[in-house]
């Protein structure tokens, strides 16, 4: 079966284009009772961005905290809060932040129109009703969450996305000025998420010309951002921000029609058991995968050196047997990722013992 890929309806790109958000929302404010829910990373509380929000009197401002990556319980709390705010549904939801905040905005837009708990919908195409119109405004680039058809959530039993056509944003606003002040280490980790998406997609067995077209361009942009520029070359920073924002978008498009691979499978294990965040978790896992992605890992290490990044080490050293087993089972449960990396025979290559050896190296 061929995938019938749902794309975002509208995309805006350019430095300063965030100022047009009010115009976009105006078209959704059909009557005097219309209101908008802004889902904003609380890192922006008290900043210029807060003052720039096109906030109208009836609107709701939901500050979200992403110290922990999104959990289904948090999504359910936000949904209840939004339901209690007004008797009507919002005309639009605007998610402003990195991958975690964009995922929370996606999940909220789905859960406002679908009954029950968000963990009921972790999986593929379980969502029945169309979501509330939702807009992404990324302030951190690399995850590709702005283009994907999933919202990654940690639930009581699993870390798994709500994958559906209704998850896809209706509008994306790509304003590279908004990623200018991201701390350099965070920028690197989330940027590497994109780099790894490209490597895993391009070297995977699921590769096709659709994914290759996006993946090759995204990879070139990542190299321009992270190999040609050091961390403190400010004059080049604006160009690099433009490139990184498009790399994230294209990297996301690439994996949408192929798949990620071994690194993401292992990083999901780290995240589930240790709470390791996605970007840094992917970097830690990728560094252990020289055997599978030799060229990519070599280049990744070059980028780490250039940007003075020291990865945490020995993070699985004192882990209990029970946690190690859980981590292995979460990771090996992601069959399509392993199949993409290693082919149909993956179970004979990526045994429990092999996965354990890899985790022990991290
Ligand atoms: P993030 O959203 O978790 O944010 C990381 C940190 O950066 C947070 O402390 C945040 O407050 C801060 N931050 C964000 N923007 C900032 C800015 N402009 N200035 C200063 N600080 C800023 O990080 P991320 O790497 O973008 O996202 C990771 C999340 O994305 C994970 O939850 C992961 O599961 C998810 N993800 C989703 C998809 C998808 O397709 N839906 C794909 C990959 C990852
Ligand atoms: Zn990723």
């Amino acid at each position: 079966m061929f995938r019938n890929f749902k794309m975002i309806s509208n995309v805006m790109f350019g430095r300063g284009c965030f100022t047009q958000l009010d115009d976009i929302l105006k078209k959704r404010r059909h009557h005097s009772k219309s209101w908008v829910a802004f889902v904003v990373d609380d890192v922006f509380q008290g900043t210029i961005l807060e003052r720039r929000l096109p906030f109208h009197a009836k609107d709701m401002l939901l500050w979200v905290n992403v110290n922990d990556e999104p959990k289904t319980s948090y999504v359910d709390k936000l949904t209840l809060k939004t339901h209690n705010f007004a008797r009507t549904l919002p005309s639009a939801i605007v998610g402003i932040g990195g991958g975690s905040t964009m995922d929370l905005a996606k999940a909220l837009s789905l859960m406002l129109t679908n009954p029950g708990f968000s963990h009921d919908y972790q999986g593929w195409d379980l969502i029945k009703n169309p979501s509330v119109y939702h807009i992404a405004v990324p302030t951190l680039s690399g995850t590709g969450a702005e283009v994907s058809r999933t919202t990654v959530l940690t639930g009581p039993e699993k870390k798994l996305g709500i994958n559906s056509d209704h998850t896809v944003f209706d509008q994306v606003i790509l304003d590279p000025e908004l990623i200018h002040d991201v701390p350099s280490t965070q920028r690197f980790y989330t940027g590497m998420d994109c780099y790894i998406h490209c490597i895993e997609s391009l070297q995977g067995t699921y590769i096709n010309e659709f994914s290759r077209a996006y993946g090759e361009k995204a990879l070139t942009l990542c190299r321009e951002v992270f190999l040609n520029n050091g961390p403190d070359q400010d004059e080049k920073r604006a160009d690099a921000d433009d490139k990184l924002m498009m790399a994230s978008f294209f990297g996301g498009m690439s994996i949408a029609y192929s798949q990620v691979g071994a690194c993401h499978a292992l990083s999901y294990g780290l995240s589930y058991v240790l709470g390791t965040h996605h970007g840094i978790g992917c970097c830690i896992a990728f560094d252990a995968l020289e055997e599978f992605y030799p060229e990519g890992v070599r280049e990744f290490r070059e980028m780490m050196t250039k940007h003075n990044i020291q990865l945490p080490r020995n993070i699985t050293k004192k882990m209990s047997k029970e946690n190690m087993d859980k981590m292995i089972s979460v990771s090996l449960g992601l069959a399509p990722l392993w199949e993409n990396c290693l082919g149909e025979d993956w179970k004979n290559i990526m045994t429990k013992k092999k996965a354990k050896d890899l985790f022990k190296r991290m």
Side-chain angles (χ1 to χ4, degrees):
M1 263 273 273
F2 292 96
R3 222 173 287 175
N4 194 3
F5 181 56
K6 171 88 162 60
M7 312 242 291
I8 294 156
S9 321
N10 288 79
V11 182
M12 187 178 273
F13 173 83
R15 323 204 110 248
C17 72
F18 178 68
T19 47
Q20 272 174 246
L21 176 59
D22 198 26
D23 291 340
I24 291 168
L25 289 173
K26 233 175 243 161
K27 296 194 183 114
R28 318 299 311 176
R29 298 183 192 272
H30 298 301
H31 48 78
S32 60
K33 287 193 176 141
S34 299
W35 60 285
V36 172
F38 291 89
V39 178
V40 190
D41 186 328
D42 65 7
V43 78
F44 295 112
Q45 255 172 335
T47 66
I48 293 172
L49 187 71
E50 178 178 355
R51 295 195 287 280
R52 290 181 66 203
L53 291 178
F55 197 79
H56 291 212
K58 291 199 166 58
D59 292 348
M60 179 189 197
L61 177 51
L62 264 177
W63 290 113
V64 291
N65 184 273
V66 297
N67 289 347
D68 290 329
E69 291 187 342
K71 293 192 171 69
T72 52
S73 54
Y74 193 37
V75 169
D76 296 337
K77 260 188 219 156
L78 296 175
T79 307
L80 188 64
K81 210 169 169 181
T82 312
H83 270 312
N84 289 341
F85 180 79
R87 288 193 181 167
T88 54
L89 287 174
S91 313
I93 290 173
V94 185
I96 306 178
S100 297
T101 307
M102 288 189 274
D103 277 357
L104 286 169
K106 285 177 176 181
L108 178 63
S109 76
L110 292 165
M111 292 315 299
L112 284 173
T113 53
N114 286 275
F117 297 103
S118 50
H119 64 77
D120 298 334
Y121 296 98
Q122 283 181 286
W124 282 268
D125 302 307
L126 303 172
I127 290 282
K128 297 281 175 291
N129 304 322
S131 49
V132 172
Y133 174 93
H134 50 307
I135 303 179
V137 183
T139 64
L140 180 56
S141 288
T143 63
E146 63 277 24
V147 288
S148 73
R149 80 189 284 279
T150 189
T151 159
V152 182
L153 302 175
T154 302
E157 280 159 25
K158 54 198 169 207
K159 180 174 177 181
L160 183 63
I162 302 181
N163 297 265
S164 84
D165 282 354
H166 302 299
T167 311
V168 178
F169 282 109
D170 297 287
Q171 166 84 57
V172 176
I173 296 181
L174 299 174
D175 182 345
E177 283 180 356
L178 300 181
I179 66 169
H180 184 265
D181 297 325
V182 177
S184 58
T185 309
Q186 183 65 56
R187 174 188 166 88
F188 183 84
Y189 289 140
T190 302
M192 284 304 108
D193 187 20
C194 176
Y195 177 78
I196 296 165
H197 290 162
C198 298
I199 299 293
E200 291 188 310
S201 172
L202 291 168
Q203 292 190 19
T205 58
Y206 291 2
I207 192 65
N208 54 72
E209 286 309 321
F210 184 105
S211 291
R212 200 192 314 277
Y214 285 109
E216 283 180 347
K217 183 63 193 179
L219 187 60
T220 302
L221 290 168
C222 284
R223 287 178 175 143
E224 286 172 13
V225 172
F226 291 107
L227 282 177
N228 299 346
N229 293 307
D232 46 13
Q233 288 171 289
D234 244 6
E235 75 283 4
K236 287 190 188 160
R237 181 60 189 264
D239 280 352
D241 288 345
D242 290 9
K243 286 177 180 173
L244 186 54
M245 203 156 230
M246 283 322 297
S248 174
F249 192 91
F250 271 44
M253 289 296 291
S254 181
I255 50 174
Y257 219 83
S258 58
Q259 187 48 278
V260 285
C263 175
H264 274 72
L266 295 170
S267 86
Y268 268 47
L270 291 177
S271 161
Y272 194 84
V273 173
L274 294 172
T276 314
H277 284 208
H278 187 75
I280 190 171
C282 284
C283 287
I284 293 168
F286 198 58
D287 197 51
L289 287 169
E290 206 168 3
E291 185 183 340
F292 301 99
Y293 304 111
E295 266 306 294
V297 173
R298 187 198 55 71
E299 194 169 57
F300 163 73
R301 289 182 182 151
E302 202 183 316
M303 293 175 185
M304 277 208 296
T305 306
K306 190 151 189 141
H307 291 266
N308 308 318
I309 299 292
Q310 310 272 331
L311 285 181
R313 299 278 173 201
N314 302 320
I315 61 166
T316 61
K317 201 173 177 185
K318 290 185 183 145
M319 184 173 271
S320 66
K321 183 182 175 305
E322 196 188 4
N323 274 347
M324 178 58 89
D325 288 347
K326 181 77 201 163
M327 209 157 66
I328 294 168
S329 88
V330 167
S331 174
L332 294 187
L334 296 161
L337 283 64
W338 290 110
E339 190 180 287
N340 180 41
C341 177
L342 301 170
E344 283 174 11
D345 193 32
W346 70 268
K347 282 186 185 158
N348 290 324
I349 306 167
M350 194 47 59
T351 56
K352 283 186 183 169
K353 183 181 174 309
K354 181 74 188 170
K356 188 173 180 179
D357 287 349
L358 289 170
F359 277 127
K360 285 202 150 174
R361 265 186 240 166
M362 297 178 195

